Amino acid sequence: MTGVTVVGGGLAGMAAAWEIRKSGVPVRLLEASAELGGMSGSKVIEGRVEDHGVHIFPAWYRNTLHLVEELGITGNLRECDNFYQLMPGEFPTFRTFQTISSMGDLIRDIRSGVTPAADRMLFYYGIIDLLAQRYHGRDESLASFLRSRWYLTEAVIADLEHLFVASSAAEGDLASAASFRGSVAAFSQHPGKVRMPRGSLQESFIGPFRKRLEDSGVEVRTGVELLEVSVDGDRLDSLTVRAGDTVTEPVTGHVVLAVPHGCLSRLGRPVTSALRPPFGVDELRSRPLGALHLYLRRRLPGLPNEHVRLVGSPHAITLLDVGQVWDGHTTSVLNCVVGRVSRLAELSESEAVKVLVDELMSYMPVLTWDDIEHVCYQPHFAVPFYAPGPGSDRFRPNSSTALTNLHVAGDFCAGPPGMAGMEGAVRSGLEAAESVRRVLRPDAPRVPIRDTDPVNPSAARVGKVALAPVAAALRLLAGRRRAPRKGSR
Ligand SMILES: Cc1cc2nc3c(=O)[nH]c(=O)nc-3n(C[C@H](O)[C@H](O)[C@H](O)COP(=O)(O)OP(=O)(O)OC[C@H]3O[C@@H](n4cnc5c(N)ncnc54)[C@H](O)[C@@H]3O)c2cc1C
């Protein structure tokens, strides 16, 4: 077909198809599974629509939120004020991290009590220090950054690392400090409230998105898996796909590969040698981020209707009682994300569920086995999540390749530091659309990509130096509090 074939119907592929179609070019979107959306979608499992996992949309996701607005579905997301923190033994008392949009929010956050106030202030000093780092072309692990700070206490380090693994499945030594700096900088430029879907991802986001794609003329085909490609000179020459039968078709137009990086690697040298940088994707690593959905027979008393983290939980569990938020539920439905699901890889499904439910019960003693009517466990071992590792940015591929008619997209693609998740996927889809435009419609306007302004390390350094005496005093305070004199209580 002349026009553009987008392979991979996750968010990156959908965003690429949407943007390319706007220029009037024929587009078809091929997806291996039965549904579009990939990791930010849902599928029917045992008769129920199950999200791949709970998704949050921070205010700095400028491209994603613009897309949501363009699709006319802003109302399908609700704004959240709090990120609740449940400490062991404290249920039904929750501490809260605020969405910081004023000094008052900051003070309430410092007094939340997840870590003592002095430690929380040192955490914020650490954020200024991180912003003061010049990571241009250099990187280190998040653990190495945190552990080399003289003022950080063990409590702050442990809490930050736990927060990180809960949302990305990457332990501190496998997480990029430069990338973390990038997302903190983006957050500091757009500190508004986070949003969460009012229903399943399919209902709130991917379903309406698919409809708009089809209405705009994109041909969507699901159940079509790309198996192989061939190259002739500087062009992608053919695609071999399986859709029932296996067929090889010539490529007459352009192709956007919006499949996970592991899939690009499996396509082999014809593709990986054409990437910029060549073979970079082979160096990228992803890790499973699991989901456990528990349908309860009753509404669990005492649970808030916003995002909750089980502080210090061994499997780094966060959860949302979607039964309180989504239409059509009268009882609790706990949608949990499991950051350390890989620890359960050796267990059977029922053993893993038992470990996780026992952990939930240890935090929420009101929950009993009798409450649980249905369980959906998705460890996602075969569909791991990409979070940038230390130094990995140099391996992330650009959307343009050495083949004139091949472009790539996906949350793992190159972007400003900190770019990953849904924003990374959408942004990469726009980059791929721009790469196609440059070749097919060089006179048409550029595809708009909304990046946040970078934070200048020098400005942060001024704050770091000015506040150093305060940090030293806070550190003394924190140290004294943790090491009581002999005999004192
Ligand atoms: C539990 C969990 C929670 C998450 N929460 C958040 C969150 O709160 N906020 C956030 O920003 N991000 C979150 N993410 C990450 C986010 O979902 C992903 O970063 C994003 O959806 C990736 O989109 P993508 O299109 O790049 O990749 P994918 O979603 O992986 O899409 C790739 C698509 O390609 C298809 N495909 C693969 N191989 C082939 C082939 N050979 N032929 C044809 N098609 C193929 C796949 O089926 C898939 O549909 C979460 C992820 C998980 C797992």
Side-chain angles (χ1 to χ4, degrees):
M1 152 172 155
T2 316
V4 179
T5 298
V6 179
V7 183
L11 198 47
M14 293 176 85
W18 172 249
E19 200 59 41
I20 295 166
R21 181 65 196 135
K22 279 186 200 166
S23 60
V25 177
V27 179
R28 66 177 182 161
L29 179 57
L30 309 181
E31 162 57 40
S33 68
E35 298 293 343
L36 296 188
M39 284 194 243
S40 44
S42 325
K43 61 182 172 196
V44 177
I45 303 174
E46 295 182 35
R48 299 171 199 240
V49 178
E50 304 284 4
D51 278 0
H52 193 90
V54 171
H55 274 59
I56 60 169
F57 297 63
W60 67 268
Y61 277 20
R62 295 188 64 210
N63 295 292
T64 310
L65 293 175
H66 177 79
L67 172 66
V68 164
E69 198 182 317
E70 217 176 18
L71 296 172
I73 54 171
T74 305
N76 292 359
L77 303 180
R78 65 183 186 120
E79 288 188 342
C80 297
D81 293 313
N82 299 302
F83 180 19
Y84 286 94
Q85 312 291 311
L86 180 58
M87 315 279 282
E90 290 197 351
F91 186 88
T93 301
F94 290 81
R95 306 183 184 222
T96 49
F97 285 163
Q98 304 288 136
T99 302
I100 313 278
S101 27
S102 68
M103 193 46 103
D105 291 340
L106 181 68
I107 291 167
R108 273 190 290 281
D109 185 89
I110 287 169
R111 296 173 64 187
S112 65
V114 176
T115 52
D119 297 61
R120 191 74 183 150
M121 285 191 267
L122 288 170
F123 160 83
Y124 279 109
Y125 184 71
I127 295 292
I128 296 171
D129 188 0
L130 183 65
L131 292 174
Q133 300 302 309
R134 258 177 228 286
Y135 281 129
H136 310 303
R138 168 180 91 78
D139 200 357
E140 63 184 318
S141 72
L142 180 61
S144 135
F145 170 79
L146 295 173
R147 297 195 178 276
S148 60
R149 303 296 108 179
W150 56 266
Y151 52 84
L152 282 183
T153 60
E154 280 304 317
V156 177
I157 295 173
D159 196 47
L160 244 164
E161 292 196 315
H162 189 265
L163 255 175
F164 202 85
V165 73
S167 59
S168 72
E171 302 287 349
D173 54 341
L174 299 174
S176 152
S179 175
F180 187 52
R181 182 193 182 279
S183 44
V184 167
F187 175 82
S188 71
Q189 306 282 35
H190 297 274
K193 299 189 179 194
V194 302
R195 294 178 172 83
M196 298 188 100
R198 289 185 193 278
S200 68
L201 285 161
Q202 169 61 23
E203 188 187 3
S204 309
F205 189 22
I206 299 301
F209 194 3
R210 177 177 181 158
K211 182 166 185 330
R212 290 296 300 276
L213 282 173
E214 289 178 321
D215 289 350
S216 73
V218 173
E219 179 195 344
V220 175
R221 289 181 59 199
T222 53
V224 182
E225 185 186 7
L226 176 68
L227 300 177
E228 268 180 48
V229 299
S230 71
V231 168
D232 186 12
D234 67 349
R235 287 183 59 80
L236 196 67
D237 188 49
S238 72
L239 302 178
T240 302
V241 297
R242 179 169 48 210
D245 295 334
T246 299
V247 285
T248 299
E249 52 176 70
V251 175
T252 51
H254 285 252
V255 172
V256 176
L257 291 182
V259 293
H261 61 82
C263 181
L264 290 182
S265 288
R266 280 192 296 280
L267 290 172
R269 277 189 78 86
V271 168
T272 53
S273 63
L275 298 177
R276 294 183 173 131
F279 309 111
V281 286
D282 297 338
E283 305 299 324
L284 301 179
R285 296 287 171 267
S286 291
R287 289 163 204 90
L289 185 59
L292 174 73
H293 300 168
L294 298 181
Y295 292 79
L296 305 190
R297 294 196 167 85
R298 61 174 177 141
R299 181 148 285 177
L300 209 62
L303 258 187
N305 67 358
E306 293 187 335
H307 206 191
V308 175
R309 176 173 64 117
L310 306 185
V311 178
S313 92
H315 292 91
I317 299 176
T318 58
L319 62 103
L320 175 69
D321 179 2
V322 300
Q324 293 189 52
V325 186
W326 297 359
D327 286 343
H329 292 283
T330 50
T331 61
S332 288
V333 180
L334 307 184
N335 278 14
C336 311
V337 170
V338 186
R340 290 191 179 122
V341 76
S342 34
R343 289 187 178 177
L344 303 170
E346 303 298 316
L347 303 186
S348 69
E349 179 172 330
S350 58
E351 287 167 336
V353 168
K354 180 165 184 338
V355 168
L356 293 173
V357 172
D358 282 347
E359 195 164 311
L360 286 166
M361 286 174 177
S362 72
Y363 279 82
M364 299 181 292
V366 283
L367 176 67
T368 66
W369 280 101
D370 286 343
D371 285 326
I372 302 173
E373 184 216 328
H374 180 77
V375 176
C376 173
Y377 174 55
Q378 305 173 75
H380 298 318
F381 294 138
V383 233
F385 166 79
Y386 176 73
S392 66
D393 272 3
R394 68 182 188 282
F395 299 120
R396 299 174 74 172
N398 290 310
S399 50
S400 298
T401 71
L403 302 180
T404 50
N405 61 345
L406 175 66
H407 318 263
V408 293
D411 57 0
F412 57 88
C413 285
M419 199 48 67
M422 286 187 291
E423 179 67 357
V426 171
R427 190 185 181 286
S428 74
L430 300 179
E431 284 278 16
E434 168 60 11
S435 175
V436 170
R437 180 208 64 82
R438 278 198 296 270
V439 190
L440 276 188
R441 296 267 195 279
D443 299 331
R446 283 179 64 88
V447 171
I449 296 178
R450 294 162 174 78
D451 284 330
T452 51
D453 295 332
V455 170
N456 182 348
S458 306
R461 194 156 292 181
V462 172
K464 176 184 164 181
V465 171
L467 291 171
V470 180
L474 287 168
R475 184 64 184 86
L476 266 178
L477 195 70
R480 187 172 315 144
R481 195 194 46 240
R482 237 177 307 287
R485 270 175 293 135
K486 260 192 174 165
S488 67
R489 303 189 59 192

